[in-house]
Amino acid sequence: ATLVARLSRQDLERLLVRSVESGAVHRDDVLSLLPEAKQQAELPRLKHVGVSAARSGTGYFDDIDDDLLVKMILAKMPSDSRFVCAISTCKAWRSLRDAPELWSDIVVSSTGSLSRRGWGVMNGTHLLKLVAWLRNPGGVHSLSVEAGDSINPDAIKKALAAMPSPTSLSLP
């Protein structure tokens, strides 16, 4: 499972197509994994998943305007979920790190999406990774750390040093 998780979407699609074409995996087995409504639907032609900045090959998200996606959908999600979308969804979505409106208010939590994505409990190392990942840490205006004792004070100090202009800090 770890090896498969490291493959790009494009490589996974090629592997599945080759497996079905060679008979190693039966088409009916793949269809049975789909939701019932999609089992009867006409299969779309495969699109090449590139590395361009534009989203393509992401299903229904291809048709959503970037401004709408960022300002009306992603900006309303918790910051740890936005971070997971930006690093785990697809290569084209990695450009979300350049959307300043997504990273002006950051809340880190020991029970949020990061802990559910295999990072374990949010700790100082994870907080510093998040801050280092940000293209413009100076654009962070608000930082809230809701991780109890799992983040040591030195990590919070280092994170704040990388964010020169926060106007709000919350350590509940």
Side-chain angles (χ1 to χ4, degrees), residues 56-67:
S56 68
T58 61
Y60 294 117
F61 289 103
D62 286 354
D63 298 329
I64 298 176
D65 178 64
D66 286 346
D67 286 338

Side-chain angles (χ1 to χ4, degrees), residues 82-99:
R82 294 191 302 260
F83 181 61
V84 169
C85 284
I87 65 169
S88 302
T89 306
C90 68
K91 290 179 182 177
W93 281 38
R94 291 181 189 161
S95 65
L96 293 174
R97 71 194 289 195
D98 295 324

